[in-house]
């Protein structure tokens, strides 16, 4: 599916979510005391006193035993061990969100293709889709390899780019920047991350991504430099701000190549969705190479993200939810949160004051937008969907996203039904997140890592993060990804007379083919290859290597 115009550059929030529930810890009891045997009858009067003492002792012991049993059951509800950093040795998963090898990304989940795992039992919910044998396949053509020799040696042309938005939006633009540099045969100066006035995040490329790995991984495709060389410092870069949407490689060469050859430096801004999604095979493979191999998170982020993922997994499989419940999302989509009349009125009033925030289809009513699948799912709808899809009540859930409009109240339906409900603040030890305070992009990267490492992932609404994780999970072997079929399922949500068993059957049927199974990008033009990596970036035993 073609990515729509980006409309959240100014008012999209990646705020640090507040702690919803306090994580508790206690010592687990591995076994209970064995009850004493009932004393046999004794008709000797001399032993009556001893029997009375024994009865009293038995009652006392049973009382203690009952207290211990109660404590034991409480402990079973605790999601983590008494030492939060303690994890099992069987966790081979430490997918980094942007792995440098396929083996790193195909995680060693303890819930295999047939489901199972501690906390999830044998629930079908954890069962993974059939990947049909597809594996990463980035074999470039001979012509591409021959051209690479001259491109990586070039010292005369340099491309500079300024990328904007949140971390996932920046990531998309960085991927396209590398491809544009390749099209122009230019060296790419490490992208500049624009400071957003809303987030106030001044992080640089090397704060979020592993820059040396980025350079090394792309060394045979595009030359990456940290800064302009001294020979070009006095050059005035040709700046282009009005690149149309979805331009072809031919358009890029015709527009920029002569000026770049003349001046030596080209500066591009606003790359979001500027490059066509339908490119020659080698350039599509390059996109995948950048997205899934070169853009690895910086070591401190990677280390903490993997720690939090290990803590989520410490007692079995877990689900990751990307909840789009922030105030600006409700305003921009023309939808209502459904918490109460007061909250709905706040959103409606702000939308009337700033109608320019509404993203398209402005003549549709809220109800029409809802039934068309254009609105985010609220917490109640997410809860009903998960229950219908068979999520067990003891499922451990990690939620990513900004502060929900309405605070903790907005999350109550999920918390009531699934009490093991955590975000990164709940999982982190005191001080672990402190180095990243006011770093919205880094916080989003941590969310990404924990979400990517999950056994099951589901977004409540579309967006850059959901699309990125969808492609990443496909590339990692088609790990389960639930795509809510909002347009078809919402009429059943509104039918209060439908019995729960029938509702569950219908919802399960509607999502039978929306669980992360392989999908060919070529079925529909305009889809992003980093979201649908088949067939350009993945192949199986019956697929010819391109």
């Amino acid at each position: 599916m073609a990515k729509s115009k980006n409309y959240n550059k100014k008012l999209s929030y990646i705020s640090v979510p507040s702690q919803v529930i306090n994580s508790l810890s206690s010592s687990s009891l591995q076994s209970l005391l064995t009850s004493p045997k009932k004393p046999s009858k004794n008709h000797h009067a001399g032993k009556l006193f001893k029997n009375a003492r024994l009865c009293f002792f038995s009652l006392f012991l049973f009382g203690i035993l009952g207290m211990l049993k109660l404590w034991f059951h409480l402990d079973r509800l605790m999601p983590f061990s008494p030492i939060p950093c303690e994890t099992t040795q069987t966790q081979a998963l430490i997918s980094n969100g942007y792995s440098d090898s396929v083996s790193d990304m195909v995680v060693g989940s303890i819930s295999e293709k047939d489901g199972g795992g501690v906390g999830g039992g044998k629930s079908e919910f954890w069962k993974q889709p059939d990947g049909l044998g597809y594996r990463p396949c980035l074999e470039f053509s001979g012509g591409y390899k021959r051209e690479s020799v001259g491109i990586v040696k070039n010292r005369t042309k340099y491309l500079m780019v300024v990328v904007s938005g949140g971390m996932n939006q920046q990531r998309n633009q960085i991927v396209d920047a590398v491809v544009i540099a390749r099209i122009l045969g230019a060296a790419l100066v490490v992208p500049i991350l624009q400071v957003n006035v809303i987030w106030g995040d001044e992080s640089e490329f090397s704060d979020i991504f592993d820059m040396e790995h980025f350079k090394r991984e792309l060394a045979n495709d595009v030359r990456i430099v940290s800064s302009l060389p001294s020979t070009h410092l006095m050059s005035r870069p040709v700046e282009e701000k009005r690149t149309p949407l979805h331009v072809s490689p031919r358009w890029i060469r015709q527009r920029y190549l002569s000026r770049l050859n003349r001046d030596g430096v080209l500066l591009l801004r606003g790359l979001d969705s500027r490059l066509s999604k339908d490119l020659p095979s080698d350039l599509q493979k390059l996109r995948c190479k950048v997205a899934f191999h070169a853009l690895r998170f910086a070591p401190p982020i990677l280390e903490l993200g993997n720690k939090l993922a290990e803590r989520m997994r410490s007692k079995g499989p877990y689900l990751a939810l990307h909840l789009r419940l922030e105030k600006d999302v409700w305003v921009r989509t023309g939808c209502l949160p459904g918490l109460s009349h007061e909250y709905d009125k706040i959103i409606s009033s702000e939308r009337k004051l700033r109608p320019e925030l509404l993203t398209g289809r402005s003549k549709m009513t809220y109800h029409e937008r809802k039934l068309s699948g254009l609105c985010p799912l609220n917490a109640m709808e997410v809860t009903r969907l998960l229950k219908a899809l068979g999520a067990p009540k003891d499922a451990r859930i990690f939620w990513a996203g900004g502060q929900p409009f309405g605070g903790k109240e907005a999350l109550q339906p999920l918390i009531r039904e699934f009490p093991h409900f955590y975000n990164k603040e709940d999982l982190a030890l005191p001080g672990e997140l402190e180095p990243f305070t006011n770093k919205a992009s880094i916080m989003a990267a941590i969310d990404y890592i924990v979400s990517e490492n999950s056994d099951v992932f589901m977004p409540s609404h579309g967006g850059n993060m959901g699309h990125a994780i969808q492609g990443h999970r496909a590339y990692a072997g088609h790990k389960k990804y639930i795509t809510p079929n909002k347009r078809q399922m919402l009429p059943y949500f509104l039918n209060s007379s439908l019995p729960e068993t029938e509702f569950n059957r219908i919802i399960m049927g509607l999502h039978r083919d929306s669980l992360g199974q392989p999908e060919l990008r070529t079925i529909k033009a305009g889809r992003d290859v980093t979201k649908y990596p088949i067939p350009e970036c993945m192949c199986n035993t019956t697929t010819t290597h391109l």
Side-chain angles (χ1 to χ4, degrees):
M1 183 179 296
K3 187 169 73 174
S4 62
K5 295 181 181 179
N6 187 282
Y7 45 71
N8 60 352
K9 290 184 179 179
K10 294 183 179 179
L11 287 169
S12 179
Y13 296 89
I14 308 180
S15 57
V16 182
S18 62
Q19 185 166 343
V20 179
I21 50 177
N22 295 323
S23 297
L24 302 175
S25 62
S26 63
S27 299
S28 302
L29 294 176
Q30 301 301 321
S31 62
L32 296 176
L33 297 175
T34 305
S35 302
K37 295 181 179 180
K38 182 179 178 180
S40 60
K41 292 183 180 181
N42 193 321
H43 298 286
H44 297 285
K47 295 184 178 181
L48 286 176
F49 180 70
K50 291 182 178 180
N51 288 339
R53 290 179 61 188
L54 186 57
C55 289
F56 177 81
F57 177 77
S58 298
L59 291 173
F60 176 78
L61 188 57
F62 274 114
I64 294 295
L65 194 61
M67 293 176 65
L68 290 176
K69 187 174 182 181
L70 176 61
W71 192 2
F72 175 73
H73 284 302
L74 286 173
D75 182 73
R76 291 180 63 185
L77 297 177
M78 307 303 177
F80 311 113
S81 65
I83 305 175
C85 290
E86 184 180 16
T87 58
T88 60
Q89 296 298 317
T90 59
Q91 294 168 17
L93 147 174
I94 313 280
S95 166
N96 57 26
Y98 297 98
S99 192
D100 60 346
S101 67
V102 176
S103 61
D104 287 337
M105 291 194 304
V106 182
V107 297
S109 171
I110 62 175
S111 59
E112 300 297 336
K113 292 289 182 181
D114 60 347
V118 181
K122 294 291 183 179
S123 172
E124 283 286 310
F125 182 76
W126 305 113
K127 185 176 181 179
Q128 298 297 311
D130 184 355
L132 301 178
Y134 279 101
R135 293 291 181 267
C137 177
L138 297 182
E139 183 62 34
F140 293 92
S141 69
Y144 180 93
K145 293 177 182 177
R146 287 191 294 273
E147 291 175 359
S148 298
V149 177
I151 290 175
V152 298
K153 290 182 178 179
N154 187 281
R155 299 292 188 275
T156 62
K157 297 180 291 187
Y158 293 87
L159 174 65
M160 300 178 65
V161 297
V162 178
V163 299
S164 58
M167 188 277 295
N168 290 289
Q169 194 175 345
Q170 291 171 343
R171 169 190 178 275
N172 293 338
Q173 295 171 58
I174 293 169
V175 170
D176 282 357
V178 173
V179 177
I180 292 172
R182 171 76 194 201
I183 293 170
L184 296 171
L188 176 66
V189 181
V190 170
I192 300 166
L193 308 189
Q194 180 176 317
V195 179
N196 188 282
V197 294
I198 299 297
W199 295 302
D201 189 342
E202 299 180 356
S203 299
E204 298 180 356
F205 184 96
S206 58
D207 295 324
I208 301 173
F209 303 105
D210 187 332
M211 185 164 67
E212 293 308 313
H213 176 81
F214 182 69
K215 294 179 181 178
R216 187 167 56 250
E217 193 69 26
L218 297 172
N220 295 326
D221 305 277
V222 175
R223 183 166 166 256
I224 311 291
V225 297
S226 300
S227 59
L228 282 175
S230 58
T231 53
H232 288 65
L233 286 177
M234 300 304 293
S235 302
R236 173 178 290 182
V238 180
E239 184 171 0
E240 179 63 61
K241 298 180 180 179
R242 300 176 183 177
T243 305
L245 296 172
H246 311 301
V247 297
S248 67
R250 181 180 179 183
W251 188 97
I252 289 173
R253 292 190 187 97
Q254 290 178 340
R255 176 81 174 187
Y256 301 136
L257 194 54
S258 61
R259 288 188 289 171
L260 182 57
N261 287 332
R262 181 191 66 207
D263 298 309
V265 182
L266 172 67
L267 173 62
L268 297 180
R269 298 176 182 271
L271 291 182
D272 199 32
S273 296
R274 269 20 188 198
L275 184 60
S276 171
K277 303 303 180 188
D278 298 309
L279 299 176
S281 178
D282 285 323
L283 295 182
Q284 297 287 56
K285 287 180 170 62
L286 179 57
R287 262 184 167 147
C288 290
K289 187 173 182 178
V290 180
F292 304 134
H293 295 274
L295 276 174
R296 186 169 69 183
F297 289 120
I301 301 173
L302 196 56
E303 180 181 3
L304 179 56
N306 284 326
K307 281 183 180 179
L308 301 188
E310 290 172 6
R311 292 169 196 169
M312 278 302 300
R313 189 176 293 281
S314 64
K315 287 194 175 181
Y318 70 93
L319 160 72
L321 291 177
H322 186 213
L323 298 177
R324 304 303 309 276
L325 304 177
E326 301 95 327
K327 182 179 180 180
D328 74 293
V329 174
W330 296 117
V331 173
R332 288 188 294 102
T333 57
C335 302
L336 298 175
L339 293 172
S340 68
H341 176 71
E342 291 183 9
Y343 283 120
D344 288 350
K345 187 176 180 180
I346 292 173
I347 297 298
S348 298
S349 298
E350 186 154 342
R351 192 178 299 125
K352 289 178 181 178
L353 291 173
R354 304 187 64 183
E356 72 277 7
L357 299 180
L358 185 60
T359 55
R361 297 184 176 94
S362 57
K363 294 183 179 180
M364 294 178 69
T365 65
Y366 157 65
H367 188 67
E368 290 171 337
R369 299 175 77 87
K370 183 81 171 177
L371 291 180
S372 297
L374 300 176
C375 294
L377 298 177
N378 60 32
M380 177 61 76
E381 291 161 344
V382 171
T383 302
R384 291 191 69 190
L385 175 57
L386 289 176
K387 289 178 64 178
L389 294 177
K393 189 175 181 64
D394 65 348
R396 285 161 178 81
I397 298 179
F398 173 83
W399 71 275
Q403 175 66 34
F405 180 59
K408 185 177 180 180
E409 179 184 345
L411 299 173
Q412 281 305 311
L414 274 162
I415 297 172
R416 283 194 298 267
E417 189 63 36
F418 301 102
H420 302 292
F421 190 75
Y422 313 98
N423 65 1
K424 55 184 171 292
E425 279 79 12
D426 301 314
L427 301 174
L429 298 178
E432 281 187 318
L433 290 175
E434 189 173 345
F436 310 124
T437 302
N438 299 324
K439 301 287 186 180
S441 292
I442 295 179
M443 290 294 190
I446 294 171
D447 273 346
Y448 190 107
I449 295 170
V450 184
S451 296
E452 167 52 25
N453 278 328
S454 67
D455 297 86
V456 180
F457 177 83
M458 188 181 86
S460 66
H461 193 52
N464 291 310
M465 178 170 170
H467 293 169
I469 289 183
Q470 178 176 343
H472 200 115
R473 293 177 77 85
Y475 196 74
H478 291 92
K479 296 159 62 181
K480 189 169 183 177
Y481 182 104
I482 301 171
T483 303
N485 194 338
K486 291 187 286 186
R487 181 176 297 181
Q488 294 189 44
M489 75 182 187
L490 284 175
Y492 298 103
F493 276 69
L494 300 176
N495 186 354
S496 58
S497 63
L498 194 65
E500 184 177 2
T501 53
E502 180 65 8
F503 173 82
N504 292 348
R505 186 190 65 79
I506 292 172
I507 297 302
M508 185 72 78
L510 290 176
H511 290 84
R512 202 171 303 280
D513 298 322
S514 304
L515 303 176
Q517 299 94 332
E519 287 189 69
L520 292 178
R521 191 196 74 87
T522 49
I523 290 178
K524 187 174 182 180
R527 289 186 173 189
D528 192 336
V529 71
T530 60
K531 182 180 178 183
Y532 300 97
I534 300 174
E536 289 93 344
C537 302
M538 300 184 76
C539 54
N540 57 27
T541 54
T542 61
T543 303
T544 302
H545 290 238
L546 299 178

